Amino acid sequence: MSHHPQASRLAAGLQVLGLALSAEQQQKLLAYLDLLAKWNKVYNLTAVRDPDEMLTHHLLDSLSVIAPLHRHTGGGAIHLLDVGAGGGLPGAVIAICCPEAQVDCVDTVGKKAAFIQQVAGALALQNLRGIHARVEALTGPYDVIASRAFASLGDFTAWSRQALGQRGVWMAMKGKHPDDELAALPADVEVFHVEQLEVPGLDAERCLLWLRPKEYV
């Protein structure tokens, strides 16, 4: 593992994030990064081209949600949907770090869903699946529906609502605190937790918003 040019930077980032991952998991993350860089040349999965930047902007950025996700699930088995997954961020990263989670990545772009399937096969991730579909067509039920730099919170929750399981939650990764999007949320969706994410080596604001349907008791 030490031969990979990004190995030490990944290890340092994991330490900052307080994540204890096995050597195998770290290897899979680096192998995923390599696959992303390789397929990106052909498929244009992400605008970020530089491997160093990919490590920070994609891998560590996605890894910053692992601890919050664990806190929410208590490490229990969950079914998670990553919406507009693109190259598998954060879905593929969650699948590698959380073997107890069954992760489905949905994208309307066929080649992106195909890439996720390729990653699942190449890295022997039985818990990762790429789905080529519109999120509105999925029924779930999912315990957690995640998105990263996807649509507005209103669209994200509206489009995926039918796939949310009982007591399911939405987990949205955003940059700056999206006040305007929050103001436009429908009355029956509530934000029950917001946390700032500190991404090692990334000098940018990141926050994680947890939302759920309001119960009309």
Side-chain angles (χ1 to χ4, degrees):
M1 191 177 82
S2 54
H3 298 311
H4 194 284
Q6 312 292 60
S8 57
R9 286 188 61 217
L10 173 61
L14 290 171
Q15 204 167 2
V16 173
L17 291 168
L19 292 180
L21 296 185
S22 69
E24 187 190 6
Q25 285 172 311
Q26 293 183 49
Q27 259 159 344
K28 285 189 175 182
L29 286 170
L30 294 167
Y32 165 67
L33 200 61
D34 292 342
L35 283 170
L36 191 61
K38 186 174 122 185
W39 279 57
N40 205 27
K41 291 186 176 80
V42 188
Y43 281 133
N44 200 21
L45 299 167
T46 156
V48 177
R49 290 273 181 269
D50 174 59
D52 284 343
E53 218 176 310
M54 268 186 175
L55 180 83
T56 309
H57 284 67
H58 286 333
L59 211 51
L60 293 175
D61 192 46
S62 292
L63 283 164
S64 68
V65 304
I66 300 297
L69 181 61
H70 265 149
R71 279 196 293 275
H72 175 77
T73 63
I78 57 160
H79 203 185
L80 181 139
L81 178 66
D82 180 12
V83 179
L89 301 149
V93 173
I94 291 171
I96 292 169
C97 297
C98 310
E100 72 283 353
Q102 182 62 49
V103 181
D104 290 347
C105 294
V106 65
D107 207 287
T108 51
V109 180
K111 62 189 179 185
K112 292 184 175 175
F115 172 68
I116 301 295
Q117 287 292 88
Q118 177 73 22
V119 168
L123 303 183
L125 295 167
Q126 267 87 37
N127 63 332
L128 177 65
R129 191 164 65 122
I131 303 173
H132 178 213
R134 296 181 66 80
V135 65
E136 296 94 321
L138 301 184
T139 51
Y142 291 98
D143 304 299
V144 178
I145 300 183
S147 73
R148 173 179 179 263
F150 182 57
S152 71
L153 292 170
D155 285 345
F156 167 52
T157 51
W159 295 342
S160 61
R161 186 160 197 160
Q162 78 295 333
L164 197 67
Q166 264 192 313
R167 292 195 294 280
V169 298
W170 289 286
M171 179 181 91
M173 295 176 72
K174 291 282 179 182
K176 282 191 166 49
H177 198 266
D179 296 314
D180 46 343
E181 290 182 27
L182 289 167
L185 270 182
D188 60 349
V189 173
E190 65 174 353
V191 177
F192 66 93
H193 187 48
V194 179
E195 45 196 315
Q196 290 302 124
L197 298 177
E198 293 293 331
V199 181
L202 191 62
D203 190 21
E205 273 187 74
R206 286 284 186 274
C207 68
L208 188 62
L209 294 101
W210 295 88
L211 305 93
R212 64 188 166 206
K214 270 193 191 151
E215 299 295 339
Y216 288 108
V217 183

